[in-house]
């Protein structure tokens, strides 16, 4: 294999902001934030909005995630005048 062309594959903590769920896995994603994990080591942190802990398909719950105000923006744009 060629040197210095492959991304850095390392442990990363993914944090689901909608359900406060965190999990540690391997990834090549780049991030500037870090977090101290349960084992006492510091790992890069990447924040996500949906994971298996908060997605309606996996939880069986109907949940509205409107983090960017998309519904309000749609209603303002296409509201009947």
């Amino acid at each position: 294999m060629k040197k210095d062309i492959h991304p850095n594959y390392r442990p990363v903590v993914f944090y689901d902001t909608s359900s406060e769920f965190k999990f540690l896995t391997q990834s090549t994603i780049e991030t500037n934030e870090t977090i101290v994990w349960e084992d006492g080591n510091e790992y890069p942190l990447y924040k996500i909005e949906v994971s298996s802990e908060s997605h309606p398909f996996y939880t069986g719950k109907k949940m509205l995630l409107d983090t960017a105000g998309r519904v309000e923006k749609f209603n303002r744009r296409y509201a009947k005048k």
Side-chain angles (χ1 to χ4, degrees):
M1 289 196 299
K2 292 183 181 179
K3 299 261 187 217
D4 301 326
I5 64 166
H6 301 288
N8 184 17
Y9 191 65
R10 62 198 173 147
V12 176
V13 174
F14 285 85
Y15 172 55
D16 183 350
T17 57
S18 62
S19 67
E20 305 290 321
F21 178 66
K22 298 174 189 151
F23 59 96
L24 178 66
T25 188
Q26 298 279 328
S27 178
T28 60
I29 197 159
E30 293 296 326
T31 180
N32 295 330
E33 297 180 76
T34 60
I35 189 170
V36 176
W37 189 241
E38 299 160 355
D39 62 4
N41 294 326
E42 189 171 351
Y43 296 104
L45 175 69
Y46 188 75
K47 295 178 182 176
I48 55 176
E49 295 178 359
V50 178
S51 71
S52 61
E53 194 70 21
S54 63
H55 194 280
F57 180 80
Y58 297 105
T59 62
K61 299 177 187 174
K62 199 169 191 179
M63 198 168 143
L64 177 63
L65 293 175
D66 186 26
T67 57
R70 295 181 191 129
V71 173
E72 290 83 11
K73 185 177 178 180
F74 176 84
N75 287 338
R76 277 184 276 134
R77 182 178 288 171
Y78 296 106
K80 292 184 180 181
K81 296 179 182 182

